[in-house]
Amino acid sequence: RASQQAETERLSRWKKWKRTSSKSLKKALSEVKGLSSYLVLWRHDIHSIEGKFGTGIQSYFSFLRFLVLLNFIIFILMFSFVTLPTIISKYGLFNSTIAYISPKNTDDICAIYEPTGNKGLVYFYTYLKDLLSGTGFLEVTSLFYGYYSIDAVWISIMRYNLPLAYLLATFAYLALSFLWIIKRSVEGFKHNLVHDADPFQSYCNKVFAGWDFCITDPNAARLKHRSLQYELQMDLQEEKLKQKIAERKMGEKLRIYSLRIFINITVIAILSGCFYSIYRVTVFSQENSNVSIRNDTRTDMVNLLVQYLPSMVITLANFIGPLIFGFLIKFEDYTPAFEIKLTLLRCVFVRLASIGVLLFSLWSQISGCGSDKCKPCGYNYKLYPCWESDVGQEMYKLMIFDFIVILAVALFADFPRKLLVTHCSCKLVQCFGHKEFEISDNVLEIIYGQTICWIGTFFSPLLPAIATIKYFIIFYVKKIVLIHTRKPAARPIRASSSNFFFLVVLLIGLLLAFIPLGVSIARIPSSKACGPFRNFNTSWEVIPDTILQFPTGVQQFLFGIASEAFAVPFFVILCIIMFYVIALARAHKRVVEQLREQLVLDSRDKMFLIRKITEAQK
Amino acid sequence: AYKRFSELLPKEERENACSARVPKSQILTLPELRANPFRHRICRLFSTSETGDDSLSFEDFLDMLSVFSDSATSDIKSYYAFRIFDFDNDGTLDRNDLEQLVNCLTGQGEESGLSSAEMDQLIQNILEESDIDKDGTINLAEFQHVVSRSPDFASSFKIVL
């Protein structure tokens, strides 16, 4: 500071003024930054959670916050481009008129669709039943696909093409989610790459830079001590295990590999069992709920149960799967870090693939043309006059059931458990102990819900709003559960790597969501009885139709881009660029190793010279 | 910063806070230092008092804050970090210093702390990674080299008032 003061006196007036103004500007900027951080949602809550429970759990909550924002923006997107024009035109605001879709043949049997709605006097519980299953009065609202039966909206003099807007909004929200997730994961990826590239420095990094000097709370300090101790012990154990593995003899290796193959086959068998049961249950549920609508022989409660059967089976599979995997992996004798990763991978696969199986079984029902049922329309028009609404209803039911399960587990499993453990001191109950906050299970839960939301938004445009409210409530529920019932985990997870892992799994869910949406948009014929795509064979056909209306120059340009003559060279160039970058990275790594060896040689030279000097001095 | 410093002084000395010295016990009540396992070393390091009682004047306080602030260069930070970790003040980090350092990190208490076998293995690994001239100790240059390649150092070696 003294030197800086001396220097300031020597400077001219102009430079002094510049320096003071830059200092005050920096101060102002930092104050603005401080103020704007108050605007971030839940900043204070997440900060206090971080202080008490560590950064691993905090990363779960900031992940939840990210999903709330994402869903809210998707909802705004779909609402403003699809629902708002429909509502404006239906109520005749803003001088708008509608052009309803006129079916091609007026006596087309495919176009018969009469959603029942609720006419006349109904019992109150019918509303509740409809709320839970998405039928009845909900079916005719803007929640589901069937409401949007408009071809174009004329607002003053502009023509707003609704089918095109619907499709483009779908692509837009998928692209937006994709880009946002990638942007968030890039930071984590860079950090991961740096960390993994220097495994030889991990101990020094942990010991010299391990203590975060910003910690002010004694509880947080205790947590940090424990996490540092755990990390160091884990690293040392892994090193010993690696040595042991390297020293394994041939006979042992054979035994372990054959055991692993056997266990993997068992895992695959269990998974196929789960998927087959989901398929059967979905088929059963669809057949029976449809029959009962017509015959009205079952009571409503049983009907509701039947409708929720697929969701229940999926939740059961998601609950049992991880338990079995956790049990089996102990026999496979991997290093602890790899064990955790493999179990997580298997659980992720179960959760996401079960949604896929559900959708697959739905489609087999929809396009199931056993006895010439779908000749005229291309799909099973008798049972599913408006199949998109049905798929939307299934997604809606999945989402509601997921929400109910999370609330029920919080209310009926966690609080009683805590009460039992604190007040009853018998040995058996103490064995259970306080439950730890399992981050990975909770994260998989919300990723599962988000995948459902992505798939379902095409069939039910207001679903993101429900998802936003759901995650909003889940944040507070989980926070209360955490504060009141959990003790801090004895196995703290590093935040940066787990952040990246969550985003990677979310990306897998998004990519998995592309597949069903792609199939529905491009392959399955859109229903002729409802929805904005009535006049087209498939939903995708809107785009070629619109392109054909462009001027010929633009048309030729677009066709040129999509043709093989352009795509193949483009792909080849991309491959070349990728290989170049990979080769560059490898070369850099080699240079780093060489420089490190040179450092070692230099220090040896230094030692040699010093020894020579001391000898010469004698 | 001046406000925080003068709060630590008893009431009568507040007016000439610029020249007063705050005893070590008061310094340790600062929330930023309260939970820090290296607080004793920090006080010892920045104190310029002749009596050796580790009290800090306002100048010392500012020195400490400037080293831990965002705008200090990594050279300065690593130099001071080296001196903080050098528990016996001999200019190098030998096995005893490293052992004390790890014990500070894992916390005091019976169930915390590594066993002696684990401690030996850990110190062996650290020396393998950072001791370039293989003399069994880490000098300032080796420490600065290791720390410059560590991604977490700059963000963790920081105190913000």
Side-chain angles (χ1 to χ4, degrees), chain B residues 34 48 52 54 62 68 70 79 85 98 101 110 128 137 153:
Chain B
R34 196 170 41 191
T48 54
D54 293 342
L62 280 183
F68 283 113
D70 262 335
Y79 173 70
F85 295 151
L98 290 175
L101 172 63
E110 311 82 40
E128 235 177 74
T137 66
F153 184 72

Side-chain angles (χ1 to χ4, degrees), chain A residues 12-82:
Chain A
S12 66
R13 218 111 34 109
W14 164 252
K15 291 214 174 120
K16 258 196 217 167
W17 179 81
K18 237 174 62 171
R19 189 177 284 204
T20 39
S21 68
S22 69
K23 264 199 215 162
S24 42
L25 187 67
K26 267 193 220 163
K27 217 171 159 194
L29 275 175
S30 66
E31 279 193 25
V32 166
K33 233 183 174 180
L35 278 177
S36 68
S37 70
Y38 279 116
L39 292 173
V40 175
L41 185 66
W42 291 322
R43 190 189 75 99
H44 180 67
D45 293 308
I46 294 187
H47 211 59
S48 66
I49 290 177
E50 180 180 17
K52 292 206 196 100
F53 294 101
T55 39
I57 294 188
Q58 175 255 349
S59 63
Y60 166 76
F61 282 95
S62 41
F63 185 65
L64 201 53
R65 174 176 62 184
F66 164 63
L67 282 182
V68 166
L69 288 172
L70 182 68
N71 280 319
F72 186 64
I73 297 202
I74 293 179
F75 165 65
I76 300 267
L77 198 71
M78 283 303 265
F79 186 74
S80 46
F81 284 109
V82 174

Side-chain angles (χ1 to χ4, degrees), chain B residues 77-130:
Chain B
K77 283 193 200 252
S78 51
Y79 173 70
Y80 277 96
F82 183 75
R83 289 185 59 193
I84 289 178
F85 295 151
D86 189 9
F87 285 88
D88 49 13
N89 284 322
D90 62 354
T92 60
L93 298 179
D94 57 6
R95 290 191 82 98
N96 288 329
D97 288 329
L98 290 175
E99 213 174 299
Q100 269 188 300
L101 172 63
V102 172
N103 279 330
C104 269
L105 284 177
T106 56
Q108 322 300 334
E110 311 82 40
E111 81 274 358
S112 62
L114 307 178
S115 70
S116 56
E118 286 170 343
M119 182 70 76
D120 283 336
Q121 189 184 355
L122 179 61
I123 294 184
Q124 187 65 32
N125 284 330
I126 295 177
L127 285 174
E128 235 177 74
E129 286 171 4
S130 51

Side-chain angles (χ1 to χ4, degrees), chain A residues 485-510:
Chain A
T485 65
R486 307 283 202 228
K487 71 174 191 334
R491 296 193 318 156
I493 306 182
R494 202 160 12 143
S496 58
S497 56
S498 44
N499 246 336
F500 178 63
F501 170 73
F502 299 161
L503 291 167
V504 163
V505 179
L506 194 64
L507 204 61
I508 295 179
L510 178 64

Side-chain angles (χ1 to χ4, degrees), chain A residues 328-348:
Chain A
L328 282 178
I329 203 158
K330 296 199 182 80
F331 297 113
E332 295 191 18
D333 206 13
Y334 290 117
T335 57
F338 190 70
E339 258 185 32
I340 296 177
K341 281 191 195 139
L342 196 59
T343 323
L344 273 172
L345 220 61
R346 286 182 182 153
C347 297
V348 163

Side-chain angles (χ1 to χ4, degrees), chain A residues 4 11 60 86 129 141 180 222 275 348 357 376 382 498 605:
Chain A
Q4 203 186 49
L11 288 176
Y60 166 76
T86 318
K129 173 180 83 85
T141 55
W180 200 346
R222 247 200 309 263
F275 295 153
V348 163
V357 170
K382 281 227 183 86
S498 44
D605 286 346

